[in-house]
Amino acid sequence: MTISARNQFKGTVESVQEGAVNALVHVKTAADDIITATVSLEAVKELGLAAGKEATAVVKATEVLVGIGDAKLSARNQLAGEVTKVQEGAVNAIVTIKTEGGTEIEATISLEAVKELGLAAGVKAKAIIKATAVIIAI
């Protein structure tokens, strides 16, 4: 299947933590970054998700927040790295962050946010993704 989501992180399921109705699925990317997804227990069973299974964590660029500095957040995925590119459009920009592990993540944010945060190539930043925004594909 081909999809439009910019962020598709191929990797291996590191662990599955089951709760009452949902599970946290941790996918280790080829660059050794961990992406955590919240999925239903039904999806865990249907996809056969278990440690060692190959999987892809999928995230739309519009679901990725960009942060600078330190802040305590509830979002499970906070991947530190460096901005490698800012592609400006009329209203929004696509910001590419390369994590310390080497994973490239793209975020679609407003031009106003780019300016307020001072984002440009070389700036240290975090890609922030809520676990509920991550889709697991096999």
Side-chain angles (χ1 to χ4, degrees):
M1 174 187 328
T2 303
I3 59 175
S4 64
R6 290 181 177 273
N7 299 299
Q8 299 178 39
F9 311 110
K10 293 182 190 243
T12 304
V13 174
E14 176 126 308
S15 65
V16 177
Q17 295 174 270
E18 293 188 2
V21 293
N22 291 324
L24 290 178
V25 178
H26 306 279
V27 175
K28 187 174 192 176
T29 69
D32 289 336
D33 285 311
I34 301 290
I35 307 290
T36 300
T38 299
V39 299
S40 69
L41 289 178
E42 185 177 335
V44 168
K45 290 179 184 137
E46 286 176 3
L47 298 173
L49 298 176
K53 179 151 184 136
E54 289 186 14
T56 301
V58 179
V59 182
K60 290 183 62 166
T62 53
E63 295 293 331
V64 180
L65 303 176
V66 177
I68 56 171
D70 290 321
K72 291 188 180 203
L73 303 170
S74 63
R76 298 225 177 241
N77 300 294
Q78 299 181 40
L79 301 153
E82 185 174 294
V83 175
T84 58
K85 183 170 132 182
V86 177
Q87 181 182 351
E88 294 186 2
V91 177
N92 292 326
I94 298 170
V95 177
T96 304
I97 296 173
K98 187 171 189 175
T99 69
E100 293 169 357
T103 301
E104 286 196 340
I105 302 173
E106 292 188 340
T108 300
I109 64 173
S110 70
L111 282 176
E112 186 176 333
V114 169
K115 290 178 174 63
E116 286 175 4
L117 296 172
L119 298 177
V123 171
K124 298 287 184 196
K126 285 184 182 175
I128 301 162
I129 308 162
K130 289 184 66 167
T132 54
V134 180
I135 296 170
I136 301 294
I138 57 165

